[in-house]
Amino acid sequence: MGTGRAFAVLALLAAALHAPGAAAACVRNEPGVLWNFDGRIAEQHRIRTTLIFSGETLDGVYFYQSQLRDIRLRGRLEGGKTVVLDELDDAGRVTARFEGEFVTRDPKGRYGDSVLACEVLIGLWRKPGSAEPLSLDRKSTRLNSSHANISYAV
């Protein structure tokens, strides 16, 4: 997506859909493991996000299905619940920010009544002047980064 076109921003569903205390405790310290999440921005743009959890530090990439171009992410996990991810351009400058949380219940009911920890991430993706909803669901794939080949599919 070009610089002239704003990245979609994700609307915070958590406030409307979750009771107090509904944030999950997602604690991971697996610096060599890739965690894949599939999602949609504003329920229309399909994306895949890959994160590496190193304690409270998060690194990764995401891409739009329509573009298949990696966009770098760097951020943090606060208290095992709150996620802050900065989207970075090729020069390492912050171009957008995701703020969200891991939830204990899937608002779309895909996990039934299961209590979740790191499976569903919901929040807001902000680029100056815009805001769109984002929901990310962890894929069952968990890859060791030393053996992973990057492949694009959502």
Side-chain angles (χ1 to χ4, degrees):
M1 188 174 279
T3 58
R5 204 168 151 202
F7 288 108
V9 182
L10 313 171
L12 182 60
L13 299 174
L17 298 173
H18 308 325
C26 180
V27 179
R28 298 271 183 249
N29 189 13
E30 302 171 314
V33 177
L34 305 176
W35 289 84
N36 292 316
F37 296 84
D38 288 339
R40 290 183 181 267
I41 296 176
E43 289 300 321
Q44 55 186 333
H45 305 289
R46 292 179 66 181
I47 65 168
R48 156 101 17 118
T49 302
T50 300
L51 295 175
I52 299 172
F53 292 76
S54 300
E56 292 186 355
T57 301
L58 299 172
D59 288 294
V61 295
Y62 84 100
F63 67 88
Y64 290 85
Q65 177 188 9
S66 62
Q67 297 173 16
L68 303 181
R69 184 180 71 84
D70 286 345
I71 300 167
R72 203 168 102 210
L73 299 170
R74 179 183 58 214
R76 63 191 179 279
L77 177 63
E78 300 170 347
K81 299 175 186 176
T82 302
V83 173
V84 177
L85 289 170
D86 290 328
E87 175 185 296
L88 306 173
D89 66 11
D90 292 337
R93 292 181 300 254
V94 175
T95 56
R97 174 170 280 179
F98 171 78
E99 294 177 338
E101 66 180 19
F102 285 103
V103 294
T104 58
R105 301 276 187 221
D106 180 7
K108 295 183 179 180
R110 292 167 292 210
Y111 293 88
D113 288 334
S114 299
V115 176
L116 307 175
C118 303
E119 290 79 14
V120 177
L121 178 61
I122 296 176
L124 252 181
W125 197 265
R126 295 184 187 272
K127 180 154 180 99
S130 65
E132 298 292 334
L134 171 69
S135 176
L136 297 173
D137 306 307
R138 186 174 67 80
K139 291 297 264 186
S140 58
T141 33
R142 197 180 130 213
L143 304 170
N144 183 306
S145 62
S146 64
H147 299 105
N149 292 321
I150 301 297
S151 61
Y152 297 99
V154 288

